[in-house]
Amino acid sequence: MPAIGITGGVSTGKTTFCDCLREIVPTAKFLNADQAARELVELDPEVQKELVAEFGREIFSRDGHLKRERLRAIVFRNAAKKSALEQILHPRIRRQWSAEAQTHRKSPNFFFADIPLLYETGGETLCDRVVVVACSPSIQLARLLQRKGIEPGAAEEMIKSQMPLEEKITRADHVVWNNGEHSVLAEQARLFVATCQA
């Protein structure tokens, strides 16, 4: 089966789309890049050492847990620090999902990789197909404010820090629109799976 990359913008609905796919194809294998990054930070001593060297010990609590909000505040204010964080995490995540994708190409089961920064990291070259989950800018902003509970200015900065959604849409093999009801998104997921199986 093909290795399928799923991307989009913050709060466009990638996770919800993946949930729809899980219901339709329960045997599918999923890789979530955000979850992989969390596991690296929590479980890999080498990654922790590199983070402390780059950002200081204060980004970890006394019991060794990453203070995500503190790290997020640093990288959103400083492009060089954001790049440093990406250099620590992205190559490791890329190796992990590249190996998993290769294994699943020989398998009868679907493999989906939910990777928010897929195009930004050149990850599309490792995919057989790319799906972009998109929604209108006003809905994206409203969802982000609701989900994260952050200030409007910070939410807009978060959206602007990513590659424009329009560019991702033009580069995608398949675009899923998530402006409306869950049932509409679920139907698009069903049609996408049917297309892949055809």
Side-chain angles (χ1 to χ4, degrees):
M1 287 299 267
I4 299 165
I6 297 170
T7 192
V10 61
S11 291
T12 59
K14 299 178 297 299
T15 303
T16 310
F17 181 64
C18 286
D19 290 342
C20 293
L21 292 170
R22 276 191 182 87
E23 285 182 24
I24 297 160
V25 199
T27 56
K29 168 74 177 169
F30 287 81
L31 180 135
N32 180 301
D34 287 343
Q35 188 179 330
R38 279 194 291 275
E39 287 169 4
L40 278 171
V41 168
E42 296 291 340
L43 305 173
D44 189 323
E46 188 60 34
V47 169
Q48 291 175 354
K49 201 164 98 179
E50 289 180 32
L51 288 172
V52 167
E54 182 64 44
F55 298 98
R57 190 156 298 283
E58 60 274 8
I59 64 162
F60 284 97
S61 64
R62 280 210 181 94
D63 58 1
H65 292 295
L66 181 69
K67 296 179 180 175
R68 294 184 188 286
E69 291 304 320
R70 179 168 285 193
L71 182 59
R72 189 177 290 126
I74 294 169
V75 298
F76 274 112
R77 282 197 312 263
N78 187 321
K81 289 292 187 187
K82 182 172 184 274
S83 178
L85 177 64
E86 290 168 356
Q87 288 302 312
I88 293 168
L89 296 177
H90 289 176
R92 289 173 166 96
I93 295 168
R94 189 183 175 105
R95 279 195 298 274
Q96 180 185 338
W97 79 266
S98 177
E100 288 191 31
Q102 203 51 46
T103 301
H104 280 84
R105 282 193 179 97
K106 303 179 187 87
S107 153
N109 297 325
F110 277 95
F111 175 72
F112 298 104
D114 175 358
I115 303 178
L117 300 177
L118 183 77
Y119 287 121
E120 291 89 334
T121 58
E124 75 275 14
T125 58
L126 300 175
C127 300
D128 300 305
R129 297 185 191 186
V130 175
V131 180
V132 167
V133 182
C135 66
S136 66
S138 60
I139 288 175
Q140 182 184 17
L141 182 60
R143 281 186 190 145
L144 182 56
L145 289 169
Q146 186 179 18
R147 194 186 86 192
K148 302 275 187 185
I150 57 175
E151 296 298 312
E156 285 168 9
E157 282 301 311
M158 201 177 280
I159 292 168
K160 280 186 203 156
S161 75
Q162 297 185 331
M163 179 186 288
L165 200 50
E166 300 81 30
E167 187 177 340
K168 292 184 180 185
I169 288 167
T170 61
R171 294 170 68 173
D173 299 303
H174 195 91
V175 178
V176 170
W177 282 97
N178 185 27
N179 272 349
E181 297 295 318
H182 184 273
S183 59
V184 176
L185 188 65
E187 178 62 13
Q188 289 178 85
R190 192 189 63 74
L191 290 170
F192 175 68
V193 169
T195 302
C196 292
Q197 291 171 325

